[in-house]
Amino acid sequence: MELKKIALNDVHESLGAKMVPFAGYNMPVRYSSDLEEHNTVRNAVGIFDVSHMGEFLVKGPEALDLIQRITSNDASKLTPGKIQYSCFPNEDGGIVDDLLVYCMAENEYMLVVNASNIEKDWAWVNKYNTKGAELQNISDEMSLFAVQGPKTVEALQSLTSVDLGSMVYYTFEKGEFAGVPDVILSATGYTGSGGFEIYVKNEDAEKVFHAIMEAGKEQGIKPIGLGARDTLRLEMGFCLYGNDINDSTSPLEAGLGWITKFDKEFVNSENLKEQKAAGVSKKLVGFEMLEKAIPRAHYEIVNAEGEQIGEVTSGTMSPSLGKGIGMGYVQTEYSKPGTEVFVRVRNKDMKGQIVKLPFVKK
Protein backbone atom coordinates (compact mmCIF):
# COMPACT_ATOMS: atom_id res chain seq x y z
CA MET A 1 0.00 0.00 0.00
CA GLU A 2 1.21 3.47 -0.85
CA LEU A 3 1.80 5.69 2.18
CA LYS A 4 -0.63 8.56 2.58
CA LYS A 5 0.86 12.03 3.04
CA ILE A 6 -0.42 14.65 5.46
CA ALA A 7 -0.93 18.15 4.04
CA LEU A 8 2.37 19.49 5.45
CA ASN A 9 4.56 16.52 4.50
CA ASP A 10 6.98 18.74 2.52
CA VAL A 11 7.11 21.37 5.28
CA HIS A 12 8.22 18.73 7.81
CA GLU A 13 10.86 17.40 5.44
CA SER A 14 12.16 20.96 4.94
CA LEU A 15 12.43 21.31 8.74
CA GLY A 16 14.72 18.26 8.79
CA ALA A 17 12.19 15.79 10.18
CA LYS A 18 12.99 12.10 9.99
CA MET A 19 9.89 10.68 8.31
CA VAL A 20 8.66 7.12 9.01
CA PRO A 21 5.62 5.03 8.04
CA PHE A 22 3.05 5.18 10.85
CA ALA A 23 -0.58 3.99 10.64
CA GLY A 24 -0.41 4.12 6.85
CA TYR A 25 0.94 7.69 6.76
CA ASN A 26 4.37 9.21 6.20
CA MET A 27 4.87 10.92 9.57
CA PRO A 28 7.60 12.95 11.33
CA VAL A 29 9.10 10.81 14.11
CA ARG A 30 11.70 13.38 15.25
CA TYR A 31 13.39 16.64 14.23
CA SER A 32 16.31 16.75 16.71
CA SER A 33 16.30 14.10 19.46
CA ASP A 34 13.42 12.43 21.30
CA LEU A 35 14.90 13.59 24.62
CA GLU A 36 15.20 17.24 23.59
CA GLU A 37 11.70 17.24 22.10
CA HIS A 38 10.22 15.54 25.17
CA ASN A 39 11.77 18.15 27.48
CA THR A 40 10.61 21.00 25.23
CA VAL A 41 6.99 19.91 25.73
CA ARG A 42 7.37 19.29 29.47
CA ASN A 43 9.06 22.66 30.11
CA ALA A 44 8.03 25.06 27.33
CA VAL A 45 5.91 24.42 24.21
CA GLY A 46 6.02 22.18 21.15
CA ILE A 47 3.83 21.57 18.11
CA PHE A 48 2.90 18.13 16.81
CA ASP A 49 1.32 17.60 13.42
CA VAL A 50 -1.18 14.80 14.06
CA SER A 51 -3.18 15.29 10.86
CA HIS A 52 -3.27 11.51 10.37
CA MET A 53 -6.07 11.27 12.96
CA GLY A 54 -9.60 10.59 11.67
CA GLU A 55 -12.69 12.79 12.00
CA PHE A 56 -16.30 11.73 11.42
CA LEU A 57 -19.34 14.01 11.60
CA VAL A 58 -22.58 12.54 12.97
CA LYS A 59 -25.66 14.74 12.51
CA GLY A 60 -29.44 14.74 12.69
CA PRO A 61 -32.14 13.71 15.15
CA GLU A 62 -30.74 10.14 15.35
CA ALA A 63 -27.13 11.24 15.96
CA LEU A 64 -27.13 10.91 19.76
CA ASP A 65 -28.97 7.59 19.67
CA LEU A 66 -26.30 6.14 17.37
CA ILE A 67 -23.42 7.46 19.50
CA GLN A 68 -25.04 6.08 22.65
CA ARG A 69 -25.34 2.62 21.08
CA ILE A 70 -21.74 2.40 19.80
CA THR A 71 -19.77 4.15 22.59
CA SER A 72 -19.25 3.12 26.20
CA ASN A 73 -19.45 6.58 27.79
CA ASP A 74 -22.69 8.54 28.26
CA ALA A 75 -22.79 11.10 25.45
CA SER A 76 -26.16 12.42 26.67
CA LYS A 77 -24.17 14.34 29.29
CA LEU A 78 -22.49 16.42 26.56
CA THR A 79 -23.57 19.96 25.72
CA PRO A 80 -22.24 22.10 22.83
CA GLY A 81 -18.56 22.94 23.44
CA LYS A 82 -17.91 19.84 25.57
CA ILE A 83 -15.75 16.81 24.72
CA GLN A 84 -15.75 13.27 26.09
CA TYR A 85 -13.22 10.44 26.03
CA SER A 86 -14.87 7.15 25.10
CA CYS A 87 -14.41 3.85 23.30
CA PHE A 88 -16.22 1.65 20.80
CA PRO A 89 -16.69 -1.75 22.51
CA ASN A 90 -16.91 -4.71 20.12
CA GLU A 91 -19.26 -7.69 20.35
CA ASP A 92 -16.55 -9.93 21.84
CA GLY A 93 -15.59 -7.88 24.90
CA GLY A 94 -12.68 -6.00 23.30
CA ILE A 95 -12.29 -2.47 21.96
CA VAL A 96 -12.69 -1.41 18.33
CA ASP A 97 -10.99 1.93 19.12
CA ASP A 98 -10.79 4.70 21.70
CA LEU A 99 -11.95 8.12 20.59
CA LEU A 100 -13.04 11.65 21.47
CA VAL A 101 -16.67 12.71 21.08
CA TYR A 102 -17.18 16.43 20.41
CA CYS A 103 -20.65 17.95 20.84
CA MET A 104 -20.57 20.57 18.06
CA ALA A 105 -24.21 21.66 18.43
CA GLU A 106 -27.55 20.07 19.26
CA ASN A 107 -27.84 16.88 17.14
CA GLU A 108 -24.33 17.41 15.77
CA TYR A 109 -21.18 15.57 16.87
CA MET A 110 -17.62 14.98 15.71
CA LEU A 111 -15.86 11.69 16.48
CA VAL A 112 -12.05 11.81 16.49
CA VAL A 113 -10.50 8.37 15.98
CA ASN A 114 -7.06 6.83 15.66
CA ALA A 115 -5.36 6.97 12.27
CA SER A 116 -4.69 3.21 12.13
CA ASN A 117 -8.41 2.52 12.61
CA ILE A 118 -10.11 5.05 10.31
CA GLU A 119 -11.45 2.49 7.83
CA LYS A 120 -12.36 -0.04 10.51
CA ASP A 121 -14.13 2.62 12.63
CA TRP A 122 -15.99 4.09 9.65
CA ALA A 123 -17.32 0.63 8.78
CA TRP A 124 -18.26 0.07 12.43
CA VAL A 125 -20.20 3.33 12.75
CA ASN A 126 -22.01 2.64 9.48
CA LYS A 127 -22.85 -0.92 10.53
CA TYR A 128 -24.83 0.34 13.52
CA ASN A 129 -26.36 3.35 11.75
CA THR A 130 -29.71 1.63 11.28
CA LYS A 131 -31.89 4.67 12.01
CA GLY A 132 -30.48 7.06 9.44
CA ALA A 133 -28.13 9.46 11.20
CA GLU A 134 -26.24 11.63 8.70
CA LEU A 135 -22.60 10.50 8.54
CA GLN A 136 -19.63 12.21 6.92
CA ASN A 137 -15.99 11.08 6.97
CA ILE A 138 -13.94 14.32 6.77
CA SER A 139 -10.60 12.72 7.75
CA ASP A 140 -8.91 13.51 4.42
CA GLU A 141 -10.02 17.17 4.52
CA MET A 142 -8.70 18.09 7.97
CA SER A 143 -5.34 18.87 9.51
CA LEU A 144 -4.73 18.71 13.24
CA PHE A 145 -2.00 20.39 15.28
CA ALA A 146 -1.39 19.59 18.95
CA VAL A 147 0.35 22.55 20.61
CA GLN A 148 1.41 21.27 24.02
CA GLY A 149 3.35 22.47 27.04
CA PRO A 150 3.10 24.90 29.99
CA LYS A 151 3.79 27.94 27.78
CA THR A 152 1.12 27.13 25.19
CA VAL A 153 -1.34 29.89 26.17
CA GLU A 154 1.40 32.54 25.99
CA ALA A 155 2.54 31.18 22.63
CA LEU A 156 -0.92 31.13 21.01
CA GLN A 157 -2.96 33.93 22.58
CA SER A 158 -1.87 36.60 20.08
CA LEU A 159 -3.41 34.53 17.25
CA THR A 160 -7.01 34.57 18.52
CA SER A 161 -9.57 36.59 20.45
CA VAL A 162 -10.75 33.39 22.19
CA ASP A 163 -9.59 33.60 25.84
CA LEU A 164 -7.41 30.49 25.85
CA GLY A 165 -6.40 30.83 29.50
CA SER A 166 -9.99 30.50 30.70
CA MET A 167 -10.80 27.38 28.69
CA VAL A 168 -11.49 24.30 30.80
CA TYR A 169 -9.95 20.87 30.08
CA TYR A 170 -12.06 18.86 27.62
CA THR A 171 -13.93 21.85 26.21
CA PHE A 172 -13.54 23.56 22.83
CA GLU A 173 -14.42 26.78 21.07
CA LYS A 174 -14.79 27.59 17.39
CA GLY A 175 -13.35 30.91 16.35
CA GLU A 176 -10.94 32.85 14.21
CA PHE A 177 -7.34 31.74 14.63
CA ALA A 178 -4.33 33.13 12.73
CA GLY A 179 -6.77 34.95 10.47
CA VAL A 180 -8.62 31.74 9.56
CA PRO A 181 -12.34 31.52 10.48
CA ASP A 182 -14.09 28.54 12.10
CA VAL A 183 -11.01 26.90 13.58
CA ILE A 184 -11.74 24.37 16.36
CA LEU A 185 -9.60 25.15 19.43
CA SER A 186 -9.76 22.21 21.80
CA ALA A 187 -8.36 22.11 25.36
CA THR A 188 -7.21 18.51 24.97
CA GLY A 189 -3.96 16.68 24.37
CA TYR A 190 -2.00 13.47 24.81
CA THR A 191 1.00 14.75 26.79
CA GLY A 192 -0.18 15.74 30.27
CA SER A 193 1.56 19.10 29.92
CA GLY A 194 -1.52 21.12 28.97
CA GLY A 195 -2.21 22.82 25.67
CA PHE A 196 -4.59 22.74 22.74
CA GLU A 197 -5.48 20.69 19.69
CA ILE A 198 -6.30 22.81 16.65
CA TYR A 199 -8.45 21.52 13.78
CA VAL A 200 -8.15 23.34 10.43
CA LYS A 201 -9.01 22.56 6.83
CA ASN A 202 -6.06 21.26 4.79
CA GLU A 203 -5.99 24.39 2.62
CA ASP A 204 -5.38 26.53 5.74
CA ALA A 205 -2.89 24.17 7.40
CA GLU A 206 0.36 25.70 6.17
CA LYS A 207 -0.70 29.26 7.02
CA VAL A 208 -1.77 28.21 10.53
CA PHE A 209 1.34 26.08 11.17
CA HIS A 210 3.73 28.92 10.24
CA ALA A 211 1.68 31.42 12.28
CA ILE A 212 1.98 29.16 15.35
CA MET A 213 5.73 28.72 14.86
CA GLU A 214 6.17 32.49 14.53
CA ALA A 215 3.90 33.39 17.47
CA GLY A 216 5.64 30.89 19.78
CA LYS A 217 9.22 31.97 19.02
CA GLU A 218 9.65 33.83 22.30
CA GLN A 219 8.47 30.77 24.25
CA GLY A 220 10.94 28.54 22.38
CA ILE A 221 8.38 26.55 20.36
CA LYS A 222 9.76 23.61 18.38
CA PRO A 223 8.21 21.01 16.10
CA ILE A 224 7.89 17.66 17.88
CA GLY A 225 7.72 14.16 16.41
CA LEU A 226 5.97 10.90 17.25
CA GLY A 227 8.94 9.62 19.25
CA ALA A 228 8.51 12.21 22.00
CA ARG A 229 4.73 11.90 21.75
CA ASP A 230 5.07 8.28 22.84
CA THR A 231 7.31 8.96 25.87
CA LEU A 232 5.10 11.90 26.94
CA ARG A 233 1.86 9.89 26.81
CA LEU A 234 3.45 6.91 28.53
CA GLU A 235 4.62 9.05 31.47
CA MET A 236 0.95 9.99 31.91
CA GLY A 237 -0.27 6.40 31.65
CA PHE A 238 -2.37 7.17 28.57
CA CYS A 239 -3.34 4.11 26.51
CA LEU A 240 -2.12 3.71 22.94
CA TYR A 241 -4.45 1.70 20.71
CA GLY A 242 -2.67 -1.34 19.29
CA ASN A 243 -0.34 -1.49 22.30
CA ASP A 244 -2.28 -1.15 25.56
CA ILE A 245 -5.80 -1.67 24.22
CA ASN A 246 -7.00 -3.63 21.18
CA ASP A 247 -9.77 -5.84 19.81
CA SER A 248 -9.26 -8.39 22.59
CA THR A 249 -8.75 -6.17 25.67
CA SER A 250 -11.83 -5.28 27.68
CA PRO A 251 -12.31 -1.65 28.78
CA LEU A 252 -12.65 -2.96 32.36
CA GLU A 253 -9.33 -4.83 32.15
CA ALA A 254 -7.74 -1.67 30.70
CA GLY A 255 -8.81 0.50 33.65
CA LEU A 256 -11.40 2.28 31.51
CA GLY A 257 -14.33 1.49 33.80
CA TRP A 258 -14.69 5.25 34.29
CA ILE A 259 -15.76 5.63 30.64
CA THR A 260 -17.97 2.52 30.70
CA LYS A 261 -21.45 3.60 31.83
CA PHE A 262 -23.98 0.86 32.48
CA ASP A 263 -27.00 3.16 32.93
CA LYS A 264 -27.55 2.83 29.16
CA GLU A 265 -27.39 -0.02 26.65
CA PHE A 266 -24.52 -0.17 24.17
CA VAL A 267 -22.73 -2.81 22.10
CA ASN A 268 -21.90 -5.77 24.39
CA SER A 269 -22.94 -3.86 27.54
CA GLU A 270 -24.65 -6.93 29.09
CA ASN A 271 -21.51 -9.07 28.85
CA LEU A 272 -19.33 -6.24 30.18
CA LYS A 273 -21.74 -5.76 33.09
CA GLU A 274 -21.35 -9.46 33.91
CA GLN A 275 -17.56 -9.12 33.69
CA LYS A 276 -17.68 -6.20 36.12
CA ALA A 277 -19.78 -8.20 38.59
CA ALA A 278 -17.52 -11.26 38.34
CA GLY A 279 -14.28 -9.25 38.46
CA VAL A 280 -11.53 -9.28 35.85
CA SER A 281 -8.71 -11.84 35.84
CA LYS A 282 -6.09 -9.43 34.48
CA LYS A 283 -5.53 -5.68 34.73
CA LEU A 284 -3.55 -3.04 32.89
CA VAL A 285 -1.02 -1.58 35.35
CA GLY A 286 1.88 0.82 35.42
CA PHE A 287 5.25 -0.33 36.75
CA GLU A 288 8.65 1.24 37.23
CA MET A 289 11.97 -0.53 37.14
CA LEU A 290 13.99 -0.77 40.35
CA GLU A 291 17.01 -2.02 38.42
CA LYS A 292 18.68 -0.47 35.37
CA ALA A 293 16.64 -1.82 32.49
CA ILE A 294 14.31 -0.60 29.77
CA PRO A 295 11.08 -2.60 29.43
CA ARG A 296 9.77 -3.07 25.90
CA ALA A 297 6.44 -4.22 24.44
CA HIS A 298 5.91 -8.02 24.61
CA TYR A 299 8.56 -8.61 27.29
CA GLU A 300 7.30 -11.12 29.86
CA ILE A 301 6.35 -9.93 33.35
CA VAL A 302 7.12 -12.64 35.91
CA ASN A 303 6.87 -13.14 39.68
CA ALA A 304 9.70 -13.88 42.12
CA GLU A 305 9.47 -17.59 41.21
CA GLY A 306 9.99 -16.77 37.53
CA GLU A 307 6.42 -17.71 36.52
CA GLN A 308 4.89 -15.52 33.83
CA ILE A 309 2.10 -13.35 35.26
CA GLY A 310 1.70 -10.90 32.39
CA GLU A 311 3.21 -9.01 29.48
CA VAL A 312 4.52 -5.51 28.83
CA THR A 313 2.38 -3.51 26.37
CA SER A 314 4.37 -0.23 26.35
CA GLY A 315 7.75 0.61 27.84
CA THR A 316 10.50 3.21 27.69
CA MET A 317 13.22 5.03 29.58
CA SER A 318 11.32 7.93 31.16
CA PRO A 319 13.10 11.21 30.31
CA SER A 320 11.43 12.96 33.27
CA LEU A 321 12.21 10.25 35.86
CA GLY A 322 15.45 8.81 34.48
CA LYS A 323 14.29 5.23 34.96
CA GLY A 324 12.55 2.50 33.00
CA ILE A 325 8.75 2.63 33.10
CA GLY A 326 6.07 0.60 31.42
CA MET A 327 2.49 -0.56 31.24
CA GLY A 328 1.26 -4.08 30.87
CA TYR A 329 -1.40 -6.60 31.79
CA VAL A 330 -0.83 -8.70 34.89
CA GLN A 331 -2.93 -11.23 36.79
CA THR A 332 -5.22 -9.23 39.10
CA GLU A 333 -3.57 -10.48 42.30
CA TYR A 334 -0.34 -8.76 41.21
CA SER A 335 -1.96 -5.44 40.28
CA LYS A 336 -1.78 -3.60 43.62
CA PRO A 337 0.65 -0.63 43.79
CA GLY A 338 3.84 -1.61 45.63
CA THR A 339 3.72 -5.23 44.40
CA GLU A 340 7.14 -6.50 43.35
CA VAL A 341 7.34 -7.86 39.81
CA PHE A 342 10.13 -8.72 37.38
CA VAL A 343 10.51 -7.96 33.69
CA ARG A 344 12.37 -10.56 31.63
CA VAL A 345 14.92 -8.57 29.63
CA ARG A 346 17.02 -10.77 27.34
CA ASN A 347 16.52 -13.83 29.63
CA LYS A 348 17.39 -11.85 32.76
CA ASP A 349 14.66 -11.05 35.33
CA MET A 350 14.96 -7.38 36.32
CA LYS A 351 13.17 -6.12 39.41
CA GLY A 352 10.36 -3.58 39.25
CA GLN A 353 7.24 -2.62 41.15
CA ILE A 354 3.62 -1.78 40.35
CA VAL A 355 2.90 1.94 40.75
CA LYS A 356 -0.17 4.13 40.61
CA LEU A 357 -0.59 6.04 37.35
CA PRO A 358 0.36 8.58 36.14
CA PHE A 359 4.11 8.09 36.51
CA VAL A 360 4.68 11.86 36.30
CA LYS A 361 2.26 13.94 38.35
CA LYS A 362 0.89 17.03 36.60
Side-chain angles (χ1 to χ4, degrees), residues 71-75 84-89 95 97-99 170 245 251-252 254-262 264 266 272:
T71 65
S72 62
N73 210 335
D74 185 359
Q84 192 177 70
Y85 179 58
S86 194
C87 76
F88 295 134
I95 298 170
D97 203 3
D98 61 337
L99 72 151
Y170 268 66
I245 50 177
L252 303 177
L256 298 177
W258 63 281
I259 62 162
T260 309
K261 303 294 166 64
F262 293 115
K264 62 161 199 167
F266 56 85
L272 288 172

Side-chain angles (χ1 to χ4, degrees), residues 70 72 87-97 120 124 127-128 241 244-257 259-260 262 266-276 280-282 329:
I70 59 175
S72 62
C87 76
F88 295 134
N90 66 22
E91 289 109 339
D92 307 313
I95 298 170
V96 178
D97 203 3
K120 178 176 79 162
W124 186 258
K127 175 183 173 179
Y128 282 94
Y241 193 90
D244 314 299
I245 50 177
N246 58 39
D247 287 305
S248 62
T249 55
S250 140
L252 303 177
E253 294 169 342
L256 298 177
I259 62 162
T260 309
F262 293 115
F266 56 85
V267 175
N268 205 42
S269 55
E270 280 307 309
N271 289 334
L272 288 172
K273 203 184 282 186
E274 285 173 20
Q275 187 183 57
K276 186 181 182 183
V280 294
S281 59
K282 62 176 183 178
Y329 286 91

Side-chain angles (χ1 to χ4, degrees), residues 9-10 71 87 103 133 135 162 170 198-199 218 226 278 282 288 302 318 323 334 343:
N9 184 88
D10 296 352
T71 65
C87 76
C103 183
L135 300 179
V162 173
Y170 268 66
I198 299 162
Y199 296 81
E218 210 176 301
L226 292 173
K282 62 176 183 178
E288 60 182 28
V302 301
S318 163
K323 63 174 94 167
Y334 293 94
V343 177

Side-chain angles (χ1 to χ4, degrees), residues 28-275:
V29 68
R30 73 183 56 83
Y31 300 80
S32 53
S33 76
D34 292 347
L35 182 61
E36 185 187 320
E37 291 174 24
H38 180 106
N39 290 331
T40 295
V41 175
R42 280 280 178 258
N43 303 313
V45 57
I47 178 171
F48 303 81
D49 188 338
V50 284
S51 301
H52 60 323
M53 298 292 280
E55 295 88 12
F56 307 153
L57 297 181
V58 186
K59 297 179 185 176
E62 298 298 336
L64 179 60
D65 178 76
L66 172 60
I67 290 167
Q68 289 289 69
R69 278 186 291 133
I70 59 175
T71 65
S72 62
N73 210 335
D74 185 359
S76 72
K77 297 281 197 291
L78 288 171
T79 53
K82 297 271 171 57
I83 308 161
Q84 192 177 70
Y85 179 58
S86 194
C87 76
F88 295 134
N90 66 22
E91 289 109 339
D92 307 313
I95 298 170
V96 178
D97 203 3
D98 61 337
L99 72 151
L100 295 181
V101 181
Y102 282 66
C103 183
M104 307 303 291
E106 191 180 354
N107 296 333
E108 188 179 332
Y109 299 85
M110 179 170 76
L111 311 182
V112 181
V113 303
N114 286 301
S116 55
N117 292 334
I118 292 172
E119 284 178 31
K120 178 176 79 162
D121 292 351
W122 182 241
W124 186 258
V125 175
N126 276 278
K127 175 183 173 179
Y128 282 94
N129 186 26
T130 53
K131 296 183 184 176
E134 187 188 326
L135 300 179
Q136 197 180 350
N137 182 353
I138 58 168
S139 306
D140 290 340
E141 300 162 32
M142 301 298 290
S143 288
L144 173 57
F145 304 123
V147 186
Q148 299 280 294
K151 296 183 180 177
T152 300
V153 172
E154 296 166 63
L156 297 184
Q157 190 59 74
S158 65
L159 297 174
T160 183
S161 59
V162 173
D163 182 2
L164 299 175
S166 68
M167 283 180 67
V168 178
Y169 194 45
Y170 268 66
T171 65
F172 72 93
E173 290 201 31
K174 232 178 171 181
E176 188 172 299
F177 183 84
V180 177
D182 291 332
V183 173
I184 297 169
L185 303 169
S186 170
T188 50
Y190 196 46
T191 66
S193 286
F196 296 86
E197 293 183 301
I198 299 162
Y199 296 81
V200 298
K201 291 198 170 80
N202 285 343
E203 56 264 33
D204 299 314
E206 190 162 350
K207 178 184 178 180
V208 169
F209 180 84
H210 289 308
I212 292 169
M213 289 295 287
E214 186 60 35
K217 261 185 184 169
E218 210 176 301
Q219 287 73 35
I221 196 167
K222 289 177 186 167
I224 312 292
L226 292 173
R229 185 172 167 84
D230 196 49
T231 54
L232 288 157
R233 70 92 192 167
L234 187 47
E235 287 187 343
M236 301 314 298
F238 294 151
C239 290
L240 175 64
Y241 193 90
N243 283 43
D244 314 299
I245 50 177
N246 58 39
D247 287 305
S248 62
T249 55
S250 140
L252 303 177
E253 294 169 342
L256 298 177
W258 63 281
I259 62 162
T260 309
K261 303 294 166 64
F262 293 115
D263 48 6
K264 62 161 199 167
E265 282 186 25
F266 56 85
V267 175
N268 205 42
S269 55
E270 280 307 309
N271 289 334
L272 288 172
K273 203 184 282 186
E274 285 173 20
Q275 187 183 57

